[in-house]
């Protein structure tokens, strides 16, 4: 019999709140975290807005002397992991350490550290480059440092799959527990890429919204007047456990993860496959893995980036898989409020989905003002909605054609 896997802890650092309660309240109230960038001079950039993490104090989570040796993306990951572990009421001890693993990915890693040291190299020469640069910037270091600081000695890895990174991290961690390779996994993603070079690169791709005069209205998934995504930063981490392990220690169970699907577009480095074929296959595989029918699904937390192709093709994929039921589903994108957290997006959105299952509230897609004939589903426009949600999907699709989907279910002791 396949082992059941549950979610017992949640932790976030986001543009709309640096703890789960604040984050969730912001989503329910439809509050945007997108503002003008003030961390560097953006006057010459086509896009001058982002979802920035505000009020974050790494000293709360990391020894002050060590903070300067952690890139911001790793600081976020440690904070979210510590929150999630505390939320789960789980203590890692020498007795259980080898059964607790870490799977925390990042799409871009420590780009801030890389750029800072490149400037030092050019201005002051090679001898002044920090000896800590490499272990600060490599993308696996968030997972590594969380493991070191928390004492988790089980499976440890760090997927890199662009915007699908943390969905794959959670899905892979789920499968590790299912097959008995661990009892507990600390899983998710982190990103801190709102820096000058990354902003210039995304801007010059014409991928970003240029609605600089009204930042809070810039991210508008599925709206006819969308003009690109908005970069964001932050982290999301969940504690996954085998059901037996969670029950044995009397844990509070937040939700159950029951399915995982992944696929490749094999099409283009940035554009999604025509008709959303890869997205369709990832969702289909996830439902098959979960053993549920399309008609069983009540809600989809969409990838919903606010780009022309993504929103149109994700909608097509949903209609292809769900048929008439697509019009009875609720679909929403919290990127309308947080911006696109890149490698951290999937985990943060999975956490929002867990809260939907727990609280019976679907967060809205804000800034939905003008319907797009190509996007004709129920996107929960502008206001949160109370609903009895029992089964939900969380979607992520990334550059390189990486697609991932998680199926989450409200926890029921007997199944």
């Amino acid at each position: 019999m396949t082992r059941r896997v549950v979610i017992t802890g949640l932790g976030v650092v986001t543009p709309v709140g640096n703890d789960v309660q604040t984050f969730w309240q912001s989503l329910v109230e439809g509050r945007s975290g997108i503002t003008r960038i003030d961390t560097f001079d953006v006057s010459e950039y086509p896009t001058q807005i982002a979802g920035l993490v505000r009020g974050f104090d790494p000293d709360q989570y990391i020894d002050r002397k060590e903070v300067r040796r952690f890139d911001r993306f790793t600081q976020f990951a440690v904070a979210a992991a510590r929150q999630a572990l505390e939320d789960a009421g789980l203590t890692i001890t020498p007795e259980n350490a080898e059964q607790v693993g870490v799977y925390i990915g990042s799409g871009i890693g420590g780009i801030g550290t890389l750029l800072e040291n490149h400037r030092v190299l050019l201005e002051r020469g090679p001898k002044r480059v920090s000896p800590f640069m490499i272990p600060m910037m490599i993308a696996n270091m968030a997972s590594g440092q969380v493991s070191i600081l928390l004492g988790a000695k089980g499976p440890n890895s760090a997927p890199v799959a662009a915007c699908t990174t943390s969905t794959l991290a959670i899905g892979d961690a789920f499968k590790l527990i299912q097959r008995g390779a661990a009892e507990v996994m600390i899983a998710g993603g982190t990103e801190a890429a709102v820096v000058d070079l990354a902003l210039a690169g995304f801007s010059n791709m014409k991928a970003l919204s240029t609605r600089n005069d009204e930042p809070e209205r810039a991210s508008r998934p599925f709206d006819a007047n969308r003009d690109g995504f908005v970069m964001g930063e932050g982290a999301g981490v969940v504690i996954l456990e085998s059901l037996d392990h969670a029950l044995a220690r009397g844990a509070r169970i937040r939700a159950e993860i029951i399915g995982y699907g992944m696929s490749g577009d094999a099409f283009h480095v940035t554009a999604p496959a025509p008709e959303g074929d890869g997205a369709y296959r990832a969702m289909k595989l996830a439902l098959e893995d979960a053993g549920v029918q399309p008609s069983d699904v009540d809600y989809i937390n969409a990838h919903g980036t606010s780009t022309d192709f993504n929103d149109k093709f994700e909608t097509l994929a949903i209609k292809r898989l769900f048929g008439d039921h697509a019009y009875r589903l609720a679909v929403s994108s919290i990127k309308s409020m947080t911006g696109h957290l890149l490698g951290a997006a999937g985990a943060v959105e999975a956490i929002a989905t867990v809260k939907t299952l727990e609280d019976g509230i679907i967060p809205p897609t804000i800034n939905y003002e003008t319907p797009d004939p190509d996007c004709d589903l129920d996107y929960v426009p502008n206001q949160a909605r109370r609903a009895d949600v029992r089964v939900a999907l969380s979607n992520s699709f990334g550059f390189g054609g990486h697609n991932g989907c998680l199926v989450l279910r409200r926890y029921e002791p007997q199944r």
Side-chain angles (χ1 to χ4, degrees):
M1 183 176 177
T2 303
R3 300 208 316 165
R4 293 173 68 182
V5 179
V6 294
I7 298 170
T8 57
L10 311 174
V12 296
V13 176
T14 76
V16 296
N18 297 334
D19 60 81
V20 172
Q21 183 177 354
T22 306
F23 160 75
W24 182 239
Q25 191 64 36
S26 296
L27 296 185
V28 170
E29 293 176 4
R31 288 205 301 265
S32 171
I34 296 165
T35 58
R36 184 176 176 82
I37 296 169
D38 55 10
T39 48
F40 56 93
D41 181 7
V42 293
S43 57
E44 295 186 16
Y45 290 75
T47 293
Q48 302 172 358
I49 57 177
L52 295 170
V53 168
R54 306 283 190 179
F56 174 71
D57 180 7
D59 292 347
Q60 286 184 261
Y61 304 99
I62 305 164
D63 184 272
R64 182 169 293 183
K65 290 181 287 189
E66 292 293 314
V67 165
R68 64 189 181 86
R69 297 181 182 178
F70 287 54
D71 186 272
R72 188 168 167 87
F73 89 107
T74 300
Q75 294 175 7
F76 289 163
V78 171
R82 287 197 186 278
Q83 287 179 33
L85 204 64
E86 182 179 357
D87 184 47
L90 180 66
T91 302
I92 300 174
T93 66
E95 290 71 34
N96 68 12
E98 293 182 15
Q99 287 299 311
V100 181
V102 184
Y103 252 55
I104 297 176
S106 179
I108 295 177
I111 191 171
T113 292
L114 177 64
L115 289 173
E116 180 183 337
N117 280 274
H118 185 244
R119 284 189 275 265
V120 169
L121 174 68
L122 295 180
E123 295 169 8
R124 300 167 65 190
K127 292 184 178 179
R128 303 312 295 265
V129 170
S130 171
F132 301 108
M133 184 197 76
I134 299 299
M136 285 176 69
M137 62 158 278
I138 50 180
N140 67 303
M141 200 46 67
S143 200
Q145 289 286 20
V146 166
S147 168
I148 291 165
L149 291 177
L150 300 182
K153 295 183 177 181
N156 190 304
S157 191
V160 177
C163 310
T164 312
T165 294
S166 52
T167 291
L168 301 190
I170 293 172
D172 290 347
F174 160 57
K175 289 300 174 184
L176 280 169
I177 295 173
Q178 258 194 354
R179 72 169 191 250
E183 292 294 338
V184 179
M185 291 297 296
I186 302 165
T190 183
E191 207 77 86
V194 184
V195 295
D196 50 8
L197 183 65
L199 183 69
F202 278 123
S203 290
N204 292 346
M205 284 174 64
K206 311 293 186 189
L208 301 180
S209 171
T210 56
R211 204 182 288 261
N212 298 317
D213 294 336
E214 40 186 8
E216 294 182 352
R217 300 181 65 214
S219 183
R220 44 185 54 239
F222 307 108
D223 183 84
N225 296 320
R226 62 192 182 274
D227 71 327
F229 76 85
V230 178
M231 288 181 73
E233 61 178 1
V237 173
V238 299
I239 306 298
L240 304 180
E241 296 187 53
S242 70
L243 177 60
D244 289 346
H245 187 276
L247 291 176
R249 68 180 191 87
R252 176 181 60 163
I253 296 172
R254 316 291 303 253
E256 184 171 3
I257 178 167
I258 59 171
Y260 170 44
M262 61 191 300
S263 71
D265 281 351
F267 175 68
H268 190 273
V269 290
T270 58
E275 312 297 309
D277 177 67
Y280 161 79
R281 287 183 290 109
M283 289 189 289
K284 184 172 185 291
L285 289 166
L287 291 182
E288 289 172 357
D289 186 48
V292 298
Q293 297 301 312
S295 58
D296 295 327
V297 176
D298 304 303
Y299 168 59
I300 299 176
N301 189 298
H303 188 55
T305 58
S306 188
T307 60
D308 181 36
F309 281 155
N310 175 89
D311 296 1
K312 178 164 61 178
F313 288 162
E314 185 171 12
T315 297
L316 279 171
I318 291 169
K319 291 195 286 191
R320 179 180 169 192
L321 178 60
F322 289 91
D324 291 342
H325 186 63
Y327 293 94
R328 294 187 286 274
L329 280 168
V331 179
S332 72
S333 172
I334 69 167
K335 289 184 180 73
S336 59
M337 295 170 275
T338 64
H340 191 341
L341 274 58
L342 309 176
V348 168
E349 290 158 15
I351 288 167
T353 307
V354 170
K355 290 297 297 177
T356 289
L357 292 165
E358 275 193 327
D359 293 0
I361 301 175
I362 299 173
T365 305
I366 68 167
N367 301 319
Y368 185 85
E369 297 170 342
T370 307
D372 179 347
D374 290 328
C375 300
D376 59 348
L377 301 178
D378 173 9
Y379 302 112
V380 193
N382 303 312
Q383 294 204 343
R385 178 185 304 165
R386 291 204 166 273
D388 182 26
V389 178
R390 184 168 166 268
V391 177
L393 303 189
S394 184
N395 283 342
S396 295
F397 316 123
F399 285 178
H402 301 281
N403 307 299
C405 177
L406 302 173
V407 185
L408 304 174
R409 189 204 299 262
R410 192 168 62 209
Y411 174 65
E412 298 165 358
Q414 299 300 322
R415 197 185 94 196

